[in-house]
Amino acid sequence: MFQHKQLRITDSSPASGGRRRAIRDTRGTPHIRGAWRTWAGSAALLITAALALGLAMSGPARAAAAQDSYPSKPIRIVLGFSAGGGTDAIARALARQMASDLHTNVFIDNKPGANGNIAADEVSRAPADGYTLLYNTSAIASSPALYSKRLSYDVTKNLTPVALTASLPIVLVVPTNSPFKTVQELVAYAKANPGKLNYASAGNGNVTHLSSLLFEDAVGIKCTHVPYKGEAPAIVDLMAGMVDYYFATSAGAIPAVKSGRLKALAVATKQPLASLPGVPTLDATVAKNLELAAWSGLMAPAGTPAEIIARLNASVNKALADPQTQRFFAEQGAQATPSTPEQYQSFLRKEIDSLAKVIKASGLTLD
């Protein structure tokens, strides 16, 4: 026999006079007990289903949801050279425009050293979620040949292209108090005094270094190399007369020349730069057909979802097309180079092969 339990409560209504009365607890009866078990079983099934859904969302579904909401936090762009240089100025201009488009903070994190390879290595090992990116220069294409035994990452396997950003002509600059008034005078002195002139670079194997080597080869001189950790410190020492000349990016050179802190002797372009009126080309003076330029782009860790790469590529290209960006680029002598990720990938492979030939011919190695 099933026993009914009794619960006693107090009826506080005026009609009851506060009497206590008994109410049966029917949970113990067979038909009620069955209903109770049915409800409990249904609740357990609902809880199990909810847990299963949560586990499913922790995999591909959750990743897809994260991509749909990208970006949901600040984006860090790592740059392998010092703050204040020409590449840094270009990168920061683009970061500001991208922040406006992506509705999140996009900031530059300078990690100078080893010709940009410290930064590249860090990004190659970062989570492939679109929140840690690399602003690279053409140095990333020369590094495989320069550091063939010491490079800790493979640019074609551990990083994925997002977009090309800019091409910057190379400008030959000297201190304002330099005795050389023309590039012809500098070359004549260097030929008469082998090894006596010192030149700066933004790092061993950097495009500013390779430009100097190509210039030496073209005009038949030999000078002494002084490498720095980026363009900014190289320009500071050049201003102070610690080195004799430097092949700077246009973005690094033009502001210093216009402010009277440096003097431009020549530009390494086919035609003179409108932003440096009166400055001749190397082609028209001492080195026929010698054209030199630096380029830069944006990369992400390998494995970054294609949807995120596409979103970043669209943001970069939108920034490059912005009138404010274009005015800034024109002031720096820079040219915007919008691209698709696939175009950047093809360009990068060609640059790696091309620079490997230049480096092999020069005998330069940093292993």
Side-chain angles (χ1 to χ4, degrees), residues 235-284:
I235 287 179
V236 168
D237 269 13
L238 182 66
M239 291 175 180
M242 303 297 291
V243 287
D244 297 300
Y245 68 91
Y246 172 50
F247 277 93
T249 67
S250 59
I254 291 173
V257 171
K258 287 190 172 182
S259 64
R261 293 173 294 165
L262 288 178
K263 180 168 56 178
L265 297 187
V267 294
T269 52
K270 193 67 176 176
Q271 301 295 328
L273 293 179
S275 50
L276 287 175
V279 178
T281 65
L282 290 175
D283 175 72

Side-chain angles (χ1 to χ4, degrees), residues 36-62:
W36 181 269
R37 285 180 175 173
T38 300
W39 179 88
S42 299
L45 287 173
L46 287 171
I47 292 170
T48 302
L51 288 172
L53 179 61
L55 289 173
M57 283 297 290
S58 66
R62 181 169 294 178

